[in-house]
Amino acid sequence: MAGTYLPGGGLDDQVPFLARLEREDRSALLALGNELRFGPRVALLHEREPSSHVLLIVQGWSKVTAAAPNGYEALLALRGPGDIVGESAALTGRPRSATVTALEPVRAVAVQRDTFTDFLARFPAVSFALLGLTSDRTRAADQRRLEFASMSVRERFAVLLLDLARTHGRHTDEGIELSVPLSKQELAGSVGASREMVQRLLKELRTRGAVVTGRRALLIARPDVLRRIAGAEHPDM
C-alpha cells in the first residue's frame, strides 16, 4: 500500500499522477472537468459500476477497497491529493474493479471518460505519465506481495504501521501520529487478517508501549519496537 523505493529507475508509486505532469498539462486537464465534493465515508466510486468518468483528487484522502465473495473487504491503497482514481475502468471500458471511499472531506475534479481519453490521445506526455504511474503501482504491489508471502500476520502488521508512519505520519512530542483515519477493520484488510487479530496485535503493542490508540486514531510511540517485530530495516521516522 505504501510507496516503495524502486532501485534502477522509476518513480516511487506514491508520487501522484498530477505531480508527474508539466504545469500546463496539469492545468489543461483539470480545466476539462467539474469539481465534486464528498463527505467522510462517502463513496466516490463504486465497485462493479459502469465507468463514465475519472476523478482527480485535489484535496483529502480516500481508501480503495475490493470485496471478496465471502464479504471480506481488502484495503488495496490510499489515494490523496494529486492522485487519479477510476482510470483503469475508463481506459478498458470494463466495470470498476474497486470502491473508492472518502476518509475525510474530499474535493475532486470529475472528467468524463471520452474527454479524458481524447486528452490522452492529444497529449502523449500525459499518456506516458499515466503509463509510468500504472507501472510503478504494479511493481510496488508485486514487491509487497512477495514480501508479505514470507511474513507472519504480526510481521505484516508491523511493516504496515511503519509504512503508514513514513508516508502518512505527523511527528508530535508523543510520537508519530497517523494522519489518515483508519478503522481496525481497514487495518485488517491491509494485511489479510481478521479484525479480531488486529485487535489482539494492537493490545500487544499497547502493552509494550509501542502504540497509543483511539477511535480511528493511532500514534506510534516506539517505532523501534515495530522494526524489531518486522525484522527488517526501515527508513528513519
Side-chain angles (χ1 to χ4, degrees), residues 204-226:
E204 174 196 341
L205 293 173
R206 284 195 300 266
T207 300
R208 298 178 64 175
V211 304
V212 178
T213 61
R215 180 173 172 79
R216 290 203 175 96
L218 195 151
L219 182 139
I220 296 174
R222 294 280 308 278
D224 58 303
V225 172
L226 296 177

Side-chain angles (χ1 to χ4, degrees), residues 44-55 84-98 111-117:
L44 284 66
L45 303 173
H46 292 273
E47 187 176 359
R48 292 186 291 275
E49 74 176 0
S51 170
S52 62
H53 62 280
V54 300
L55 287 176
I84 183 172
V85 292
E87 75 283 358
S88 295
L91 293 175
T92 63
R94 296 174 181 171
R96 302 199 188 279
S97 59
V111 180
Q112 293 302 307
R113 177 188 172 195
D114 291 344
T115 302
F116 179 67
T117 55

Side-chain angles (χ1 to χ4, degrees), residues 140-203:
D142 288 346
Q143 182 172 331
R144 176 47 50 88
R145 278 193 291 269
L146 180 61
E147 291 173 351
F148 274 16
S150 62
M151 293 180 182
S152 66
V153 173
R154 188 168 177 265
E155 291 168 334
R156 294 200 299 267
F157 189 60
V159 169
L160 170 68
L161 294 183
L162 288 169
D163 280 349
L164 286 173
R166 178 172 62 87
T167 57
H168 300 287
R170 290 191 295 250
H171 287 264
T172 70
D173 292 339
E174 292 77 26
I176 305 167
E177 181 182 18
L178 300 189
S179 59
V180 287
L182 294 173
S183 67
K184 293 181 181 67
Q185 184 61 56
E186 288 160 350
L187 292 171
S190 298
V191 294
S194 67
R195 186 177 186 275
E196 292 71 26
M197 172 62 79
V198 165
Q199 286 181 316
R200 289 196 294 271
L201 292 172
L202 285 173
K203 181 179 180 181

